[in-house]
Amino acid sequence: MVTDTLDRPLRDLRISVTDRCNFRCTYCMPKEQFGSDHDFLPRSSLLDFDEIVRLVRVFADQGVRKIRLTGGEPLVRAELERLVEGIAAVDGIEDIALTTNGSLLSSKRARTLADAGLDRITVSLDAFDDAVFMAINDVGFPVGKVLDGIANADAAGLNVKINTVVQRGVNEDQILPLAGCFRGSGHVLRFIEFMDVGTTNGWRLDDVVSAREIRDRIDAVWPLESLEPNYPGEVARRWRYRDGTGEIGVIASVTQPFCRSCTRARLSAEGALYTCLFAGVGTDLRGLLRSDVDDARLAEEVRSIWTRRDDRYSELRSSETVIRPKVEMSYIGG
Ligand code: SAM
Ligand code: SF4
Ligand code: SF4
């Protein structure tokens, strides 16, 4: 097991399979920066599935147990099922999850993903009201179709969670409608504080609705009680509806950072390794992969990067760090 300078093991790997997306969420890929003339990665720059599976094997040997596929929108990558199948066959990998905007989650796709070995799916949904949702995704995509995607994933036997990023003055009025929608559905809805990832979304601390406020707003209507974490280091704080209609999670990435238990590495679609969501630079692994090195050499590189890791951006967040150059979330993977 490899540990970093703060004694954190390497347990989770988030893999961005593409930097492209069919949405233009205003807080993630604003149209002004991600317009029709935007230079997305060319196909030859992307890691192919064999390369990704090889890296997963190397990471699994270093202690990684959980894989999350993300992006961009991972379901725009053709034949993603083949990748899931490859990863599922790697010794040591215990859990494969996918984060998606849900727009391409047909019942067939959900079934083939589950058959390939996907365990869990997280569907992002930032509003229950169509007008609010369409203003956020900025491509006119309706809520109903995301709800269909969620139902398809559920029918395919996948464990489904819903993620909602809350922004002051944008969708804070959607907290209760979304909570109402998923109460009793069996799906855990998780609210996430809006973060200062990247440099294009114009983040300000004033735009953050704190986890505490989110919890209080729901508790005032549907009383909540605290739940123990499912496992040590779980990032979402869990709350259960006192009337037994399920649970919610609240992720206080800004107001109560959890860097001390952060065991996640991120691999960009072109094979750069990042040890923090807020990193400015990554380490290229594709070059090594495509040269003639063996797995032992790749493992040595991963170990050397992780043992030097001292990231704790959220704990140190200040007006000075917020403006420093950081990689975009659609590139590094959420
Ligand atoms: N396209 C997929 C999706 O939307 O689920 C996967 C990639 S997206 C970058 C992953 C997650 O990051 C989404 O749930 C999105 O809402 C979240 N996200 C993006 N920018 C964020 C920000 N500034 N603060 C908090 N969460 C953010
Ligand atoms: Fe696309 Fe997801 Fe970013 Fe929205 S949050 S623009 S769906 S990558
Ligand atoms: Fe992990 Fe970096 Fe987020 Fe801290 S700020 S929890 S180190 S990804």
Side-chain angles (χ1 to χ4, degrees):
M1 186 173 80
V2 57
T3 51
D4 69 7
T5 61
L6 299 172
D7 213 24
R8 298 169 295 189
L10 172 55
R11 285 282 180 222
D12 318 69
L13 181 64
R14 298 190 170 207
I15 305 173
S16 171
V17 294
T18 177
D19 59 338
R20 290 169 199 258
C21 185
N22 56 340
F23 281 15
R24 284 293 175 276
C25 301
T26 49
Y27 60 85
C28 177
M29 295 179 77
K31 273 183 179 161
E32 304 77 60
Q33 271 82 24
F34 294 87
S36 50
D37 56 346
H38 184 77
D39 277 335
F40 287 102
L41 296 170
R43 185 144 194 117
S44 58
S45 294
L46 299 184
L47 294 186
D48 67 28
F49 290 163
D50 290 343
E51 290 172 324
I52 296 177
V53 172
R54 183 174 171 205
L55 279 180
V56 168
R57 218 175 290 123
V58 168
F59 276 90
D61 279 347
Q62 301 311 313
V64 164
R65 295 290 168 263
K66 291 187 182 180
I67 300 289
R68 179 171 293 275
L69 301 176
T70 177
E73 173 46 47
L75 294 182
V76 304
R77 181 110 185 225
E79 298 183 66
L80 193 71
E81 293 75 0
R82 266 204 308 118
L83 176 63
V84 173
E85 227 167 61
I87 294 173
V90 173
D91 272 351
I93 298 302
E94 293 164 359
D95 185 54
I96 310 176
L98 172 80
T99 306
T100 172
N101 62 28
S103 63
L104 302 169
L105 209 47
S106 64
S107 62
K108 177 160 179 260
R109 198 94 205 261
R111 246 193 346 265
T112 53
L113 284 164
D115 289 347
L118 189 72
D119 298 297
R120 300 184 296 121
I121 202 154
T122 302
V123 178
S124 305
L125 179 61
D126 295 332
F128 186 61
D129 176 89
D130 255 338
V132 180
F133 186 52
M134 288 181 186
I136 295 174
N137 66 53
D138 215 9
V139 293
F141 201 87
V143 172
K145 286 198 171 175
V146 178
L147 296 178
D148 290 346
I150 292 169
N152 292 337
D154 188 38
L158 292 163
N159 173 321
V160 185
K161 287 199 177 84
I162 323 299
N163 269 6
T164 301
V165 176
V166 185
Q167 281 177 274
R168 177 81 67 202
V170 175
N171 65 340
E172 57 182 312
D173 62 345
Q174 298 297 302
I175 296 172
L176 289 177
L178 282 167
C181 172
F182 292 106
R183 259 162 58 83
S185 70
H187 305 315
V188 176
L189 170 65
R190 300 190 311 176
F191 294 98
I192 303 171
E193 289 179 351
F194 179 44
M195 293 182 283
D196 49 322
V197 276
T199 46
T200 57
N201 69 9
W203 184 91
R204 295 173 320 146
L205 189 56
D206 289 350
D207 299 332
V208 178
V209 180
S210 72
R212 190 191 180 97
E213 183 178 337
I214 294 169
R215 201 271 331 246
D216 286 352
R217 284 192 190 202
I218 298 172
D219 182 59
V221 180
W222 295 297
L224 294 166
E225 62 192 3
S226 177
L227 279 174
E228 290 299 308
N230 283 312
Y231 51 89
E234 186 174 27
V235 297
R237 182 79 203 277
R238 301 171 65 207
W239 300 91
R240 170 169 61 197
Y241 292 111
R242 283 182 192 269
D243 64 7
T245 49
E247 76 175 77
I248 60 159
V250 191
I251 304 181
S253 353
V254 176
T255 59
Q256 295 158 52
F258 34 79
C259 299
R260 286 303 148 132
S261 57
C262 178
T263 55
R264 286 177 290 281
R266 292 177 155 85
L267 185 66
S268 78
E270 58 179 342
L273 184 65
Y274 290 83
T275 54
C276 179
L277 178 55
F278 300 91
V281 285
T283 309
D284 173 52
L285 295 181
R286 189 189 57 195
L288 261 188
L289 263 177
R290 293 188 182 173
S291 62
D292 215 8
V293 302
D294 59 10
D295 286 0
R297 172 71 191 88
L298 282 168
E300 188 187 305
E301 183 69 11
V302 170
R303 265 200 312 276
S304 134
I305 294 166
W306 194 262
T307 47
R308 278 183 278 130
R309 175 187 192 238
D310 62 358
D311 303 289
R312 49 192 191 100
Y313 178 93
S314 287
E315 283 183 2
L316 303 173
R317 183 179 278 109
S318 68
S319 50
E320 181 267 318
T321 57
V322 166
I323 53 165
R324 135 185 134 178
K326 287 166 282 171
V327 66
E328 294 302 323
M329 190 134 165
S330 54
Y331 169 81
I332 195 177

